[in-house]
Amino acid sequence: MMTNMTIYDISEKAGVSIATVSRVLNGSSSVSEKTRKKVLDVMDRYGYTPNAFARGLGLNTMKTIGIMCADSSDLYLAKAVYYIEQLLRSNGYDSLLCCTGYDLKTKEQSMDLLISKKVDSIILVGSNFIYEQDSDNKYIRDAAAEVPVMLLNAVLKAPNVYSIVSDDYASMREAASQMIASGRKDILYFYNSASYSGRRKLAGYRAAMREAGLLRENGLLQFYTGSHEDIHAMAGQLEKVKSEGLFFNGVIAADDNLALGAVKYAQKNGLKIPEELSVIGYNNSLLTTCCDPELTSIDNKLETLCQHLTATLMGVLNGEKMPEEAVFSGEIIHRGTTLLQS
Amino acid sequence: MMTNMTIYDISEKAGVSIATVSRVLNGSSSVSEKTRKKVLDVMDRYGYTPNAFARGLGLNTMKTIGIMCADSSDLYLAKAVYYIEQLLRSNGYDSLLCCTGYDLKTKEQSMDLLISKKVDSIILVGSNFIYEQDSDNKYIRDAAAEVPVMLLNAVLKAPNVYSIVSDDYASMREAASQMIASGRKDILYFYNSASYSGRRKLAGYRAAMREAGLLRENGLLQFYTGSHEDIHAMAGQLEKVKSEGLFFNGVIAADDNLALGAVKYAQKNGLKIPEELSVIGYNNSLLTTCCDPELTSIDNKLETLCQHLTATLMGVLNGEKMPEEAVFSGEIIHRGTTLLQS
DNA sequence: TTGAAAGCGCTAACAC
DNA sequence: GTGTTAGCGCTTTCAA
């Protein structure tokens, strides 16, 4: 198997022109069966693979999609990347992955990089790419001027930007309502992100609390800033809250990691779950079955979201008119950390 | 900001030739400060980004590394991908990610695809890419004929193939020895992969058992075939083993997920950990702190491995002579699922 | 220090 | 059906 053959080499060996080779390569119908076979034969024999650059140069597309993701080692984001990558490939596209971190500057850089690599579209995985201050979202609008931009779990209304989201607001509101209905009044909200989705979740919690007349001025809101893998630090923060005299018998967390922090806190302090402390997480990840009792969590239908995102993207790339926004509802999966409604 | 500017546009606006623009682009020293500034100015004003294809066509490199990974949603692999992607980018390379699944056929296809995309190297993340039957590894040797192939956690001796591994054999042997020293005699080995690394781990366990005169003919080996996220199925398998009359008071697992299955099994059956059942996992992942008691596990220094892999790759790409194999030792992190040595 | 021009490997008109 | 040829945007000699 020789390396770096070109279309010229093949055409020579097969005794045809490069145009014919190109036609065979692209499955053009106007090649006689005989010639096709002859060319294919030569290609096979020499293990020829076309040079994607040259092809890309002419076509100005590499059949490659850029995926941006703040941290692909995050359980939730990793899963999303996994689904998306598979779906794209089954559609004949490859994925250029960029783990951007959470800093705006590096996100902008990654974006430029992907654009310069001539990706056909950019997928932003996770809601942390959208900023509250609209001017900070300029980098997305700029990118959308070049290629379609797909948002997973975030919304930005702009031309050529498509948003696929789970209704985090509704899910959180329902979760909080159910916990209230089960008799809890002092429900702490534990979160670590002010992203789009983060704000929607918080709003859902607040709506439910307000509805029940339980909303207090920020006392029961705990923002966690440590590592998303450091369960002990999470538990530690709750201990501190408690030691400062704040009572709570329920925790609603913005993700399963944080919820596990609450479970750990209860274990360390001998609190019985769910009787003395109820906990609800978010994402319905692997983590829900790791603890004892197991974690009630909200399933936000990640796979469905990814499927829909990919389908929408393929539509857009084919020039079809597609919906700019799609909202899917989540589902609460009850496990051992919550009481049944009374 | 105009889109799709070319070097021609810039040269025109700046009143220089395309060669000069190209020189500025590539930081050539033989451009007068004045001209450089003028060109840079124009580029800036029009937001010009060079076309990577065209560049790649001439240079025959896209500064892109292919990463193959069976399942990027696996906690361990995801983390490796994350580290590697970051390190590569800090070295000026991008990453084309391929989640291949565990099937040889699709691995071969992914490999071809990456090669045809003209990646500068291919990194195989995880040991499941190496097959016991050597003819099955042909696809790797073929790839290595074109670009350097880097193996994370696997070894294949072949030209242009570089292996970076953790000494799984030694780690497992030490883990088993310690558990034996703590008084256990009936230690079950729980695993789910016959990959290179999987076999090394198993060999380590067996060596320790043999050394202590405790090795039995396959009775205490449990191979798990279900989903790597289904903790209940894992626990279920152990329950079945027990109900069949096999006694064990220790479990050494090939990864933390499986170890958690053992913990779950103990909880379901009211066995006290670590007194009635000791458990050791592998990878020292996030999962170790999720359960109660927390999981003793083997840290295989993933970040170090990734750093070394990247450094080696950069050396190879620069034409330096690099070691074909590097072995790092792991470390047992003691937590609550094991007894102290008596 | 700069410019002109020849590729890099492929696609797609356009001829035959 | 098949061949010829002009790009695609960039890098890199070679001259000036």
Side-chain angles (χ1 to χ4, degrees):
Chain A
M1 166 165 164
M2 211 189 110
T3 190
N4 281 337
M5 301 276 296
T6 76
I7 205 172
Y8 290 93
D9 301 322
I10 301 296
S11 79
E12 192 181 316
K13 314 254 182 212
V16 298
S17 75
I18 59 160
T20 302
V21 178
S22 177
R23 287 191 188 100
V24 172
L25 227 40
N26 294 285
S28 158
S29 56
S30 53
V31 182
S32 76
E33 214 26 68
K34 209 176 122 193
T35 324
R36 174 190 311 286
K37 206 174 156 348
K38 190 168 54 180
V39 173
L40 249 20
D41 250 35
V42 176
M43 287 184 177
D44 237 52
R45 181 153 62 254
Y46 292 91
Y48 164 78
T49 26
N51 182 322
F53 296 162
R55 178 174 276 177
L57 224 203
L59 265 41
N60 209 36
T61 161
M62 194 93 151
K63 284 269 203 181
T64 301
I65 309 286
I67 300 181
M68 287 173 55
C69 163
D71 173 2
S72 71
S73 78
D74 177 284
L75 217 52
Y76 181 71
L77 300 177
K79 200 137 207 167
V81 168
Y82 176 72
Y83 287 138
I84 291 174
E85 200 274 342
Q86 301 259 302
L87 288 162
L88 288 179
R89 196 130 44 72
S90 75
N91 280 282
Y93 285 83
D94 300 313
S95 316
L96 209 48
L97 176 66
C98 260
C99 305
T100 62
Y102 290 94
D103 186 49
L104 176 57
K105 204 94 217 133
T106 62
K107 287 176 188 168
E108 290 175 344
Q109 282 168 6
S110 300
M111 195 70 113
D112 285 348
L113 188 148
L114 288 177
I115 296 279
S116 80
K117 292 265 171 168
K118 295 286 176 188
V119 294
D120 299 297
S121 167
I122 293 181
I123 301 176
L124 269 28
V125 176
S127 64
N128 55 74
F129 288 99
I130 303 296
Y131 291 86
E132 207 159 354
Q133 188 168 356
D134 196 52
S135 61
D136 285 343
N137 296 321
K138 182 175 184 312
Y139 76 108
I140 298 180
R141 281 191 296 269
D142 284 349
E146 317 250 349
V147 293
V149 174
M150 313 297 298
L151 266 31
L152 181 65
N153 251 327
V155 172
L156 179 71
K157 291 192 198 300
N160 215 20
V161 174
Y162 298 83
S163 310
I164 319 287
V165 292
S166 175
D167 192 345
D168 297 321
Y169 172 84
S171 298
M172 264 314 186
R173 181 172 180 161
E174 177 61 21
S177 292
Q178 290 194 13
M179 198 182 270
I180 293 167
S182 79
R184 310 278 118 152
K185 285 191 166 35
D186 306 286
I187 304 175
L188 183 143
Y189 186 74
F190 201 22
Y191 66 122
N192 63 352
S193 159
S195 69
Y196 174 82
S197 144
R199 279 175 274 132
R200 300 291 299 161
K201 290 178 190 170
L202 176 55
Y205 159 82
R206 302 194 79 209
M209 294 296 273
R210 187 180 311 112
E211 217 167 44
L214 297 172
L215 189 61
R216 316 189 201 163
E217 270 329 302
N218 67 38
L220 283 178
L221 262 37
Q222 277 299 312
F223 191 80
Y224 170 79
T225 53
S227 154
H228 73 94
E229 299 218 334
D230 192 345
I231 308 280
H232 288 287
M234 298 170 189
Q237 179 161 343
L238 295 182
E239 260 168 75
K240 184 150 166 290
V241 169
K242 189 204 181 184
S243 73
E244 284 168 354
L246 197 64
F247 174 76
F248 57 95
N249 54 12
V251 171
I252 293 188
D255 70 25
D256 288 337
N257 298 54
L258 289 167
L260 241 38
V263 170
K264 177 77 56 181
Y265 153 79
Q267 286 167 345
K268 280 186 176 173
N269 290 270
L271 295 173
K272 211 155 173 342
I273 297 178
E275 292 78 4
E276 300 177 274
L277 188 74
S278 296
V279 182
I280 297 184
Y282 209 101
N283 286 346
N284 196 36
S285 68
L286 163 65
L287 300 182
T288 57
T289 54
C290 290
C291 56
D292 185 43
E294 296 186 357
L295 188 62
T296 293
S297 185
I298 291 161
D299 182 351
N300 49 6
K301 313 289 178 183
L302 182 57
E303 191 165 9
T304 305
L305 295 183
C306 291
Q307 280 164 352
H308 192 83
L309 185 148
T310 311
T312 303
L313 174 55
M314 291 305 132
V316 172
L317 291 177
N318 289 330
E320 295 164 29
K321 176 79 184 150
M322 297 306 254
E324 279 82 22
E325 191 177 337
V327 181
F328 290 81
S329 59
E331 180 188 357
I332 302 180
I333 309 293
H334 287 280
R335 295 199 183 80
T337 58
T338 43
L339 295 162
L340 292 176
Q341 282 181 241
S342 52
Chain B
M1 166 165 164
M2 212 189 112
T3 192
N4 281 338
M5 301 278 292
T6 77
I7 204 172
Y8 291 94
D9 301 322
I10 301 296
S11 79
E12 192 181 316
K13 313 254 182 212
V16 297
S17 74
I18 60 161
T20 301
V21 178
S22 176
R23 286 189 189 101
V24 172
L25 227 41
N26 294 286
S28 158
S29 56
S30 56
V31 182
S32 76
E33 213 27 69
K34 208 176 123 193
T35 327
R36 173 189 312 286
K37 204 170 158 352
K38 191 168 55 181
V39 173
L40 249 19
D41 250 36
V42 176
M43 286 183 177
D44 238 52
R45 181 153 62 254
Y46 292 91
Y48 164 78
T49 25
N51 181 323
F53 295 164
R55 178 173 274 174
L57 223 202
L59 265 40
N60 209 35
T61 160
M62 194 95 151
K63 285 272 206 177
T64 301
I65 309 286
I67 301 181
M68 287 174 54
C69 164
D71 173 2
S72 70
S73 77
D74 178 284
L75 217 50
Y76 180 71
L77 299 177
K79 200 137 205 167
V81 169
Y82 176 72
Y83 287 138
I84 291 173
E85 200 273 344
Q86 300 258 303
L87 288 163
L88 288 179
R89 197 130 44 74
S90 76
N91 280 281
Y93 284 83
D94 301 313
S95 317
L96 209 49
L97 176 66
C98 260
C99 304
T100 62
Y102 291 93
D103 187 47
L104 175 56
K105 203 93 216 131
T106 61
K107 288 177 189 168
E108 290 175 344
Q109 283 168 5
S110 300
M111 196 69 115
D112 286 348
L113 188 148
L114 288 177
I115 297 279
S116 79
K117 292 267 171 167
K118 295 286 175 188
V119 294
D120 298 294
S121 168
I122 293 181
I123 301 176
L124 270 28
V125 176
S127 63
N128 55 74
F129 289 98
I130 304 295
Y131 291 86
E132 208 160 353
Q133 189 167 356
D134 194 53
S135 61
D136 285 344
N137 296 321
K138 182 174 183 312
Y139 76 109
I140 298 181
R141 282 191 295 271
D142 284 349
E146 317 249 351
V147 292
V149 174
M150 313 298 297
L151 265 32
L152 180 66
N153 251 328
V155 172
L156 180 71
K157 290 190 200 300
N160 215 19
V161 174
Y162 298 83
S163 309
I164 319 286
V165 292
S166 175
D167 192 346
D168 297 321
Y169 172 84
S171 298
M172 263 314 186
R173 182 171 178 162
E174 177 60 21
S177 292
Q178 289 193 14
M179 197 182 272
I180 293 166
S182 79
R184 311 277 119 152
K185 285 190 166 34
D186 306 286
I187 304 175
L188 182 142
Y189 186 73
F190 201 22
Y191 66 122
N192 63 351
S193 158
S195 68
Y196 173 82
S197 145
R199 279 176 273 131
R200 300 290 300 159
K201 290 178 190 170
L202 176 55
Y205 159 82
R206 302 194 80 211
M209 295 295 274
R210 188 181 309 111
E211 217 167 43
L214 298 171
L215 190 61
R216 317 188 201 163
E217 273 327 304
N218 67 35
L220 283 177
L221 262 37
Q222 276 299 313
F223 191 79
Y224 170 78
T225 53
S227 154
H228 72 95
E229 299 218 335
D230 192 345
I231 309 280
H232 287 287
M234 298 169 190
Q237 180 161 342
L238 295 182
E239 260 169 75
K240 185 150 164 290
V241 169
K242 189 204 182 184
S243 73
E244 284 166 354
L246 197 65
F247 175 77
F248 57 95
N249 54 13
V251 171
I252 293 188
D255 71 24
D256 288 338
N257 297 55
L258 288 167
L260 240 39
V263 170
K264 176 79 53 181
Y265 153 79
Q267 287 166 345
K268 280 186 176 173
N269 290 269
L271 295 174
K272 212 158 170 342
I273 297 178
E275 293 79 5
E276 299 178 272
L277 188 74
S278 296
V279 182
I280 297 184
Y282 209 102
N283 286 346
N284 196 36
S285 68
L286 163 65
L287 300 183
T288 58
T289 54
C290 289
C291 54
D292 185 44
E294 296 187 357
L295 188 60
T296 293
S297 185
I298 292 163
D299 182 352
N300 49 5
K301 313 290 179 182
L302 182 58
E303 191 164 9
T304 305
L305 295 184
C306 291
Q307 280 164 354
H308 191 83
L309 185 146
T310 312
T312 303
L313 175 55
M314 292 304 131
V316 171
L317 291 177
N318 288 331
E320 295 164 30
K321 176 79 184 150
M322 297 307 256
E324 278 82 23
E325 191 175 336
V327 181
F328 290 81
S329 60
E331 181 188 356
I332 302 180
I333 309 293
H334 286 280
R335 295 199 183 81
T337 58
T338 44
L339 295 163
L340 292 177
Q341 281 181 242
S342 52

